[in-house]
Amino acid sequence: METKKVWFVTGASQGLGLALVKKLLAEGYNVAATSRNAASFKNEIPQSSNFLPLEVDITNAESVQRAIDQTVQVFGSLEIVVNNAGFGQLGALEELSHEEARKNFDANVFGVLNVIRSAAPYLRKQQHGHIINVSSIVGFYGEFGGWGVYNATKFAVAGLTEAFSAEMKPFGVKATIVYPGYFRTNFLQSGSLKTPENTVEGYTALRASEKAHIEDIAGSQPGSPEKAAIAIADLAQNENPPLHLFLGSDSFGLANAKVEILQKAIADNQAVSHSTDF
């Protein structure tokens, strides 16, 4: 592997982000890693010359810009960016307030945009680089009640990444959307998963689903974050990386199910689709 490549990873103090940073450092890469609290890295990653811990508020454009600039100043370049920071928001659409929904979009979508805006000028100028945006399988297959706002943020990440890929192609910069399924991280814990502040009576199935995710599914997810880290590290070595990458057998299965649903809907309604042309 090329040890000179510089990685910038957001949301890196836990879960998939932390597993990825550990993998990259073990392989000799230079890594800048962000967290809301840089001190959280101390117990997980020893100090070294190729590790730059950064305290960043991804919802604040100035904070993100400082972090990107500092990364380039310390390591001399920037090649690979992984947008992994974010959190989950549970709740039926009518239950969630504007503030709750906005906070989820601020972190999961506008945080990604802040990083892209700050990193793109460096990547475009050097005519190479790779931005990897971590979405979720629910950003492709969204038929999960109680996850609507979170789903929407992850669909948005996928949509903006597709456009970004087209925009940056002339400059030699690549983009990939990663759609993880259930991975055995702390995502389903209170710090990463929020429940609605006010609930509406009658959503019995949603309350049961919330309880199951927090009490039963947490800790028994099928995906290994360490294996996901290997997959993402390998992805960056691909000269022609995929725009879409589904991680986990559950994600792979749901992606195929969604494709089948779309193919059937398209075929069944072909006459209606064509009927609206002049």
Side-chain angles (χ1 to χ4, degrees):
M1 288 188 176
E2 297 179 25
T3 58
K4 291 183 180 179
K5 282 188 175 178
V6 178
W7 288 67
F8 181 92
V9 183
T10 71
S13 63
Q14 59 185 9
L16 176 57
L18 180 60
L20 177 59
V21 169
K22 288 181 176 179
K23 168 65 178 175
L24 296 172
L25 291 172
E27 296 291 344
Y29 287 109
N30 293 319
V31 181
T34 83
S35 173
R36 286 171 293 180
N37 180 9
S40 60
F41 290 116
K42 289 183 179 179
N43 295 328
E44 296 288 349
I45 302 174
Q47 290 184 345
S48 68
S49 60
N50 62 328
F51 176 57
L52 177 64
L54 296 166
E55 190 163 306
V56 177
D57 176 3
I58 60 167
T59 68
N60 183 297
E62 293 181 356
S63 177
V64 171
Q65 186 67 62
R66 285 194 299 270
I68 292 288
D69 292 343
Q70 188 175 351
T71 299
V72 176
Q73 290 166 6
V74 170
F75 292 130
S77 65
L78 175 65
E79 279 78 37
I80 304 161
V81 174
V82 180
N83 279 302
N84 173 68
F87 69 91
Q89 176 65 65
L90 288 172
L93 292 177
E94 74 164 299
E95 292 178 321
L96 296 178
S97 66
H98 172 79
E99 289 74 19
E100 287 173 295
R102 181 65 196 227
K103 284 180 181 178
N104 207 207
F105 270 87
D106 281 344
N108 295 6
V109 180
F110 291 103
V112 171
L113 284 171
N114 284 336
V115 175
I116 286 176
R117 289 191 193 99
S118 296
Y122 287 109
L123 304 183
R124 182 166 42 78
K125 183 178 180 180
Q126 68 193 18
Q127 298 282 292
H128 68 89
H130 191 176
I131 287 189
I132 300 168
N133 291 331
V134 179
S135 177
S136 165
I137 185 54
V138 300
F140 187 78
Y141 186 108
E143 294 184 40
F144 296 97
W147 292 85
V149 165
Y150 178 71
N151 292 4
T153 68
K154 293 304 185 178
F155 268 92
V157 168
L160 67 86
T161 307
E162 288 189 350
F164 180 75
S165 175
E167 293 166 1
M168 298 301 280
K169 203 170 279 186
F171 307 105
V173 178
K174 303 175 180 72
T176 297
I177 310 156
V178 175
Y179 304 88
Y182 281 111
F183 277 80
R184 201 166 299 178
T185 68
N186 51 6
F187 175 74
L188 296 179
Q189 296 177 3
S190 60
S192 299
L193 184 66
K194 298 184 183 299
T195 54
E197 294 176 3
N198 297 293
T199 58
V200 174
E201 187 177 354
Y203 282 111
T204 307
L206 297 194
R207 299 289 85 81
S209 176
E210 288 174 9
K211 186 173 184 292
H213 276 85
I214 295 169
E215 297 182 5
D216 302 325
I217 297 176
S220 62
Q221 301 97 317
S224 162
E226 289 74 24
K227 291 182 178 179
I230 293 171
I232 293 173
D234 289 346
L235 171 68
Q237 299 305 306
N238 192 336
E239 291 186 4
N240 296 294
L243 176 56
H244 303 272
L245 177 62
F246 296 89
L247 289 186
S249 58
D250 53 349
S251 177
F252 185 85
L254 287 171
N256 275 313
K258 177 63 176 283
V259 169
E260 291 178 5
I261 292 169
L262 288 174
Q263 287 178 330
K264 186 177 187 305
I266 291 168
D268 289 351
N269 295 283
Q270 179 178 352
V272 176
S273 297
H274 288 183
S275 73
T276 58
D277 292 349
F278 280 105

